[in-house]
Amino acid sequence: MGDVRLIKSYVWHGDKCYFVSTIDRDSSSEQGGRFSETMVWEFDWNKNERGKHIAFSDGGLESHIGRHLKLCQRIFDSGTFEETEE
């Protein structure tokens, strides 16, 4: 079926900007199926350029944008990507 963009966001934490993109894609695992993949890159707003290296990657249920939105909130609030236990 190919990749399907679900949502993309630009999130600021302090003076750093991040590009967050979530797509649905085919799984490469033996079980197959589809899942959502979210990736984060640093983003140069002035040059309108995405960084060359992925800063963070995460996967989840197909068509699951809730993880994307929570990740955006975490980046905005703390500048971190990983969930932390509190």
Side-chain angles (χ1 to χ4, degrees):
M1 180 166 155
D3 296 348
V4 177
R5 177 178 288 152
L6 299 178
I7 184 172
K8 67 178 182 176
S9 304
Y10 298 91
V11 182
W12 289 86
H13 178 75
D15 62 349
K16 281 193 133 179
C17 184
Y18 298 92
F19 173 66
V20 184
S21 176
T22 299
I23 61 171
D24 273 353
R25 65 190 282 293
D26 292 325
S27 174
S28 59
S29 73
E30 289 183 16
Q31 292 90 2
R34 294 191 53 84
F35 73 103
S36 290
E37 181 176 47
T38 300
M39 293 180 276
V40 180
W41 294 266
E42 288 187 11
F43 190 82
D44 186 323
W45 189 262
N46 295 322
K47 293 180 181 178
N48 195 31
E49 290 180 349
R50 184 178 78 183
K52 292 182 182 179
H53 304 286
I54 296 172
F56 180 76
S57 180
D58 190 20
L61 302 174
E62 182 178 6
S63 300
H64 190 75
I65 65 168
R67 292 179 88 164
H68 177 105
L69 298 172
K70 286 180 183 178
L71 175 59
C72 289
Q73 187 67 55
R74 217 171 24 253
I75 293 169
F76 177 80
D77 290 342
S78 66
T80 59
F81 307 115
E82 303 280 349
E83 288 186 76
T84 57
E85 294 182 31
E86 296 189 37

